[in-house]
Amino acid sequence: MNNMVQVQERKRLYIGLLGASLLVVGLLTVAIWYLVFSPERSLFYKLVLLALAAVLILAILLASFGLAGIVLTIIRSRPFALLQGPMRVALNTFFPLVLGLGKIFRIDMDRIKLSFIEVNNDLVHARRLKIEPYQLLLLAPHCLQYSECEHKVTGNVDNCRRCGKCGVNDILKLRDRYGIRVGMATGGTLARKYVRDYRPKAIVAIACERDLTSGILDANPVPVLGVTNLRPNGPCFNTKFSVQRVEESIRFFLQ
């Protein structure tokens, strides 16, 4: 029960900051609108300000509908087709502004990004997709590999000798059990290459908060279920992951 409460609190963080971002942009639009009718400004200057105000008003309207769609989707666990576009605007376009507000209020960036991942996962779950195993890509970070291993798996995951010292063996077990595609990535560039090569209809991704958020945004509109890795030895070094959570994510898409 405590874990469920923590998850709900994490979701509220991103949604709250998103709402605050809309308020900030709204206040900025009001200030610009005031300048448009200032008698000291030239006609050209006023036209530029008017065009900027129109763009901001459109963005606010789209993001407001998107925010409403996000909240309703999470509450009802059911997607709203008409609001998919505005929801993407709210999640993607306003993401940098949300991070900026987080810095102003001195909120840990990883907390905000984890909240974003939780919100994204809820929206993906609400869509209840069903795909074939070959259409699902499991992306994992290279830091899962045992640091002293001599066999490079980023180019070919089958180079793994399955000694069981790290999570790469578990990744291969999941691949063999479900018949899905797997990519071990050193970063965003290689991860995007796997997406281009395999053209998946859905992705399960294991990574830190930073890489997961950027990956979710890059992969859009391909749905991504994100699973944050475990870092008992610090970031990017002999990391681990919850096999149960990853398998649940795989089974969701293959249901």
Side-chain angles (χ1 to χ4, degrees):
M1 181 64 71
N2 288 336
N3 186 53
M4 288 296 295
V5 171
Q6 291 174 358
V7 170
Q8 293 300 327
E9 288 177 350
R10 287 200 294 263
K11 294 173 191 173
R12 284 197 287 268
L13 174 62
Y14 186 81
I15 292 172
L17 286 172
L18 182 56
S21 300
L22 286 174
L23 179 61
V24 169
V25 176
L27 293 173
L28 177 62
T29 305
V30 171
I32 292 173
W33 194 260
Y34 171 78
L35 291 174
V36 169
F37 293 98
S38 175
E40 296 86 10
R41 309 294 175 182
S42 67
L43 178 60
F44 175 77
Y45 192 79
K46 289 182 178 181
L47 289 175
V48 171
L49 288 176
L50 191 61
L52 179 58
V55 170
L56 289 177
I57 290 171
L58 178 61
I60 291 170
L61 288 174
L62 286 174
S64 298
F65 281 114
L67 179 58
I70 291 168
V71 174
L72 289 173
T73 299
I74 291 175
I75 292 174
R76 302 183 64 182
S77 296
R78 193 178 70 185
F80 292 83
L82 292 177
L83 295 178
Q84 291 302 310
M87 285 164 62
R88 281 197 290 271
V89 171
L91 283 173
N92 302 350
T93 307
F94 278 74
F95 183 73
L97 186 53
V98 168
L99 293 183
L101 280 179
K103 287 181 180 179
I104 292 173
F105 292 113
R106 297 182 179 180
I107 302 173
D108 182 70
M109 290 294 102
D110 281 348
R111 279 188 61 204
I112 299 174
K113 291 172 182 177
L114 183 58
S115 178
F116 170 83
I117 294 164
E118 297 283 1
V119 169
N120 168 79
N121 286 354
D122 261 19
L123 298 179
V124 173
H125 280 128
R127 294 170 64 178
R128 297 171 185 167
L129 302 172
K130 183 179 180 181
I131 60 176
E132 297 298 323
Y134 71 90
Q135 297 172 321
L136 178 62
L137 173 62
L138 172 58
L139 280 175
H142 73 106
C143 56
L144 288 177
Q145 186 177 20
Y146 181 51
S147 60
E148 298 182 13
C149 183
E150 298 177 352
H151 307 284
K152 186 177 180 180
V153 297
T154 50
N156 183 2
V157 72
D158 285 306
N159 287 336
C160 175
R161 296 301 183 264
R162 303 196 181 210
C163 66
K165 289 184 179 179
C166 66
V168 179
N169 183 43
D170 295 318
I171 294 290
L172 289 173
K173 286 181 179 179
L174 290 170
R175 183 198 67 178
D176 296 344
R177 184 177 305 155
Y178 293 102
I180 61 176
R181 297 180 183 273
V182 167
M184 298 287 295
T186 54
T189 301
L190 186 54
R192 286 188 289 272
K193 182 179 183 301
Y194 284 127
V195 175
R196 288 195 305 269
D197 291 346
Y198 292 134
R199 298 183 180 276
K201 288 192 175 180
I203 298 170
V204 175
I206 309 166
C208 62
E209 291 84 356
R210 182 194 64 186
D211 289 347
L212 272 181
T213 49
S214 61
I216 289 169
L217 294 172
D218 286 345
N220 184 60
V222 179
V224 180
L225 281 179
V227 179
T228 51
N229 60 8
L230 308 173
R231 303 180 284 274
N233 303 298
C236 302
F237 184 77
N238 289 340
T239 58
K240 302 181 182 300
F241 71 98
S242 168
V243 177
Q244 179 183 351
R245 286 192 63 196
V246 172
E247 187 166 16
E248 286 174 352
S249 299
I250 292 171
R251 291 170 65 87
F252 165 76
F253 284 121
L254 304 183
Q255 43 185 315

